Amino acid sequence: MSYDAPTKAEQRPAEPPLHGAEAFEGMRRAGRLTAEALDLLVEHVKPGVSTQALDTLVAEFARDNGAYSATLLYRGYPKSICTSINHVVCHGIPNDKPLREGDILNIDVTLILDGWYGDSSRMYFVGEVPRRAARLCDVTYECLMRGVEAVKPGRTTNAIGAAIQSLAEQERCSVVRDFCGHGLGRVFHDAPTILHYVEPSYDVPLKPGMLFTVEPMINLGRPQVKVLSDGWTAVTRDRSLSAQFEHTVGVTETGVEIFTLSPKGYDKPPYNIAP
């Protein structure tokens, strides 16, 4: 399964592993390559293009750079990326249906390079999008960055959730509860679980050497979701728009390092493509 945003019920080790300098260097390489794959897609996301075509581009890019997709055949998931359109919250499966003017699209990519996992997702605009859709993407990106900025030794995972939840609800949006961020490194999913809201019963101290994703899913409507009959595609129950951004980060001695920043500055739409 493309569990970039795994369910809370997924089993993980009780104690988050702490990684050293070698791991951080490996994560920098894997994170940058994943960000480059997302950059590559900017000029290809347009009306009439299929999400399957985008999947093929990422698969070829990974192969050409000595990497491969973590999602392909993971728990039977059939594709190299996840493509979630409009009211799809996460784990949308690429297909041959063309994108339409006004769609918003999340593309989630996880590449394995030299055994290290780089995991990231961004929103894309398909042509001109409605103002409410663009606003949702702005709010969701700001939620991500506030969550990342809350990462610091001595704090806890609930500091991340509080930063995200407070902003989302202030903007009259809702935080999806059914999926969450996760530890990673040389495995796809590890401790700690990163909730994007405050949960007093789960609050893990942040320590230097932790590696994990922050990946809030924010809805314009209610937070409830359902999974379709394909077993993967999660959608909003009220069919409201949903957006997500994701970074892979590491806790340092003084704060946080983001491994998946866009080399081209394509961190949120609309993207101004350089000539």
Side-chain angles (χ1 to χ4, degrees), residues 99 103 118 134:
L99 295 168
D103 285 341

Side-chain angles (χ1 to χ4, degrees), residues 123-259:
M123 297 302 297
Y124 296 77
F125 294 166
V126 184
E128 295 292 327
V129 306
R131 183 174 179 180
R132 65 194 180 99
R135 173 183 169 272
L136 173 64
C137 292
D138 284 344
V139 169
T140 305
Y141 178 76
E142 186 61 29
C143 283
L144 167 68
M145 296 312 295
R146 289 200 185 183
V148 169
E149 289 165 5
V151 176
K152 188 175 183 179
R155 294 180 178 172
T156 65
T157 52
N158 267 337
I160 302 170
I164 292 168
Q165 183 179 5
S166 61
L167 176 61
E169 294 179 354
Q170 174 186 317
E171 296 293 335
R172 299 186 178 181
C173 296
S174 63
V175 180
V176 171
R177 262 68 167 176
D178 297 69
F179 303 95
C180 54
H182 54 90
L184 79 172
R186 284 194 176 275
V187 297
F188 200 171
H189 298 107
D190 209 338
T193 294
I194 301 298
L195 303 179
H196 304 112
Y197 56 94
V198 175
E199 176 49 71
S201 67
Y202 183 82
D203 197 18
V204 177
L206 297 176
K207 300 177 182 179
M210 285 184 176
L211 305 172
F212 52 80
T213 67
V214 181
E215 47 182 303
M217 283 147 279
I218 308 297
N219 296 346
L220 268 184
R222 297 182 180 276
Q224 289 78 16
V225 309
K226 64 179 179 180
V227 177
L228 302 184
S229 59
D230 61 21
W232 298 99
T233 307
V235 301
T236 54
R237 283 191 174 272
D238 60 7
R239 295 189 66 83
S240 63
L241 291 174
S242 185
Q244 179 189 19
F245 287 88
E246 173 184 14
H247 275 314
T248 295
V249 306
V251 185
T252 69
E253 294 292 336
T254 58
V256 63
E257 179 175 350
I258 304 174
F259 300 119

Side-chain angles (χ1 to χ4, degrees), residues 1-2 55 59 68-82 110 112 188:
M1 185 170 185
S2 174
D55 184 87
Y68 58 98
S69 168
T71 60
L72 183 61
L73 303 182
Y74 181 71
R75 298 188 178 181
Y77 186 79
K79 300 295 180 178
S80 295
I81 63 175
C82 297
T110 305
I112 306 172
F188 200 171

